[in-house]
Amino acid sequence: MRWLAVLGMIFASSALAEPRQFDAYLYEQPDGWVKRTIRDNVQSFHSDLPGDLCEFCYLHLGGTVPLTGDLAAAHADAAARFVPAGDLDRVTPLQPPRTLPFPGHDATLAAIRTHRGVFVTIAVDLGAEMALMGFEGRARSNDHLTESLGVLQSHALPFFATVAFVTPDDILRRLPAAKPQGIDGAFWGWQQRLLPTTGGGVVTDVTHRVLILHPDGHFNFEGQPEGGFDRKVMAEARRTDFGVFTRAGRNITLTYASGRSETLTADGDGWADGDMTLGPVTIPADGTLLTGRLTDLTFSGGAGGGGGAFAQTAIDFTADGRFVLKAASGGFTGFSSAGASGDVRGSYRIEVGRVVMTSGGERQSLPIIDTGNGYLIGETLLDANG
């Protein structure tokens, strides 16, 4: 395959910009690709390239798994990780794992094909763990395969080349010591944008941002971590959405665990980041009770061009401390105790800025803030009339 010849050049010239994070991966959101809901510990991106190019192509980042032996052997065992379960009996090897030049790590590349798709995976040795990245494209015909391999070379491989990895030791080593800065509190802002779709329409995209400044000079996003903020615990979880902040006049500088930095400027009683102003909000007290519905609607495209489906998850909270989670059309519950209908019933309690839901001995939690106009749970506003 001709695209193998360009790997060394692509991976030797990569550089990471301001990163986002999933598991051990630090990456920049790829242009022309839409981030999907995490499923089975895999972060996927669906092609939204101009002209419907490779419209059923996907990029995958698989959560790390233990690595106890040879990387190539472990990669061979995991090469079909991103193949839909219904296609696993129709896998044909195209390229066994082979050494791949990758900045700072040993890596291998492999390729397989099913009757519908082609799957190219890159395994990366992180010491005690293996990371697995993958590209999925249509291969029902030679024309589909040619298009998929073209997008692999022009878009997927350059994206994978920019991915970096983080370990707890990396985080603790790069962060400076924190010192009290005389300010603390929770701040929240939001931004609404209209984004074009490949069909010529538009969709509304709402982005929320929550910043918590701690009295000791640390900060973090996404609300309070479960159990409260602890630098070592955050590092062990490979969280990079926290760090150390310093204040100078009207500015605060955030130094992230990922190594990047950002400056926010005072705007009234809040902080402006250039896109939005984050105003002061409160974190609900432990034991606060909720009434309303939290709804999340996502669309998942079919693997290999096999269609797609809407998935909806709704959580009803009641003032007696109970919840009912309803997953319609295959929505993700996060609880293995979900019944045949997908419903999960249990109790909830607000603890240290998180809604902790318990059912059948399992727990799931989401950060919560009081915006003054309602509760923001995760990235969704609670509908008090739901």
Side-chain angles (χ1 to χ4, degrees):
M1 297 182 179
R2 289 181 299 170
W3 48 267
L4 288 172
V6 303
L7 292 175
M9 179 170 59
I10 290 176
F11 282 86
S13 60
S14 63
L16 183 69
E18 290 188 1
R20 301 186 182 190
Q21 184 181 12
F22 164 69
D23 197 78
Y25 302 87
L26 295 177
Y27 66 92
E28 183 181 6
Q29 171 66 32
D31 291 337
W33 299 80
V34 178
K35 185 167 69 172
R36 294 303 186 192
T37 301
I38 296 171
R39 300 291 174 88
D40 299 323
N41 204 23
V42 175
Q43 175 67 76
S44 298
F45 306 85
H46 178 212
S47 171
D48 193 26
L49 297 169
D52 291 337
L53 176 64
C54 211
E55 60 179 324
F56 294 108
C57 290
Y58 295 83
L59 306 173
H60 302 294
L61 302 176
T64 55
V65 296
L67 178 63
T68 57
D70 178 69
L71 177 66
H75 189 180
D77 290 340
R81 178 175 180 180
F82 306 125
V83 176
D87 294 344
L88 288 173
D89 60 346
R90 306 184 69 173
V91 171
T92 301
L94 295 179
Q95 169 66 58
R98 56 171 288 179
T99 300
L100 173 72
F102 196 93
H105 299 278
D106 292 334
T108 54
L109 179 141
I112 58 177
R113 184 176 181 176
T114 69
H115 66 297
R116 294 194 299 179
V118 60
F119 298 80
V120 179
T121 53
I122 297 172
V124 181
D125 187 341
L126 301 181
E129 296 176 308
M130 178 181 74
L132 190 71
M133 305 181 288
F135 168 80
E136 172 186 352
R138 280 200 296 181
R140 289 179 179 268
S141 67
N142 287 333
D143 287 344
H144 288 157
L145 180 61
T146 298
E147 179 184 59
S148 294
L149 294 181
V151 171
L152 169 70
Q153 179 173 328
S154 62
H155 292 80
L157 292 177
F159 167 66
F160 294 142
T162 67
V163 174
F165 302 92
V166 64
T167 69
D169 288 342
D170 293 334
I171 293 173
L172 294 175
R173 183 175 59 250
R174 68 165 57 100
L175 270 182
K179 299 178 181 180
Q181 299 296 310
I183 54 173
D184 63 274
F187 301 85
W188 164 72
W190 64 280
Q191 178 186 46
Q192 179 173 296
R193 298 178 299 168
L194 295 178
L195 301 179
T197 67
T198 55
V202 294
V203 295
T204 301
D205 176 70
V206 179
T207 301
H208 296 274
R209 191 177 193 191
V210 177
L211 168 65
I212 298 180
L213 303 178
H214 296 277
D216 66 355
H218 282 101
F219 73 87
N220 70 277
F221 290 99
E222 299 182 0
Q224 289 278 29
E226 188 164 352
F229 181 86
D230 184 289
R231 178 177 176 137
K232 291 185 178 179
V233 171
M234 297 283 279
E236 287 297 327
R238 290 196 181 93
R239 295 281 294 270
T240 58
D241 59 339
F242 83 102
V244 172
F245 74 95
T246 55
R247 184 177 187 177
R250 291 175 48 80
N251 295 331
I252 57 172
T253 298
L254 312 178
T255 300
Y256 290 77
S258 62
R260 73 182 182 96
S261 61
E262 176 187 16
T263 298
L264 280 63
T265 301
D267 185 356
D269 54 1
W271 301 95
D273 65 5
D275 293 321
M276 66 185 82
T277 295
L278 284 64
V281 293
T282 58
I283 296 175
D286 288 2
T288 298
L289 295 171
L290 306 173
T291 301
R293 169 170 288 190
L294 196 69
T295 303
D296 177 56
L297 182 68
T298 60
F299 178 81
S300 176
F310 284 99
Q312 178 173 304
T313 301
I315 308 175
D316 291 325
F317 295 99
T318 52
D320 60 357
R322 311 294 295 177
F323 76 89
V324 179
L325 188 157
K326 302 177 180 180
S329 303
F332 177 67
T333 70
F335 288 93
S336 62
S337 58
S341 66
D343 290 2
V344 176
R345 297 176 183 273
S347 61
Y348 73 87
R349 175 176 168 79
I350 293 182
E351 300 176 0
V352 197
R354 298 187 75 85
V355 182
V356 180
M357 295 171 285
T358 304
S359 176
E362 297 180 282
R363 322 171 22 113
Q364 300 288 333
S365 72
L366 293 168
I368 181 172
I369 61 169
D370 185 348
T371 70
N373 292 305
Y375 292 112
L376 180 73
I377 302 176
E379 294 191 4
T380 306
L381 286 167
L382 180 70
D383 182 359
N385 299 313

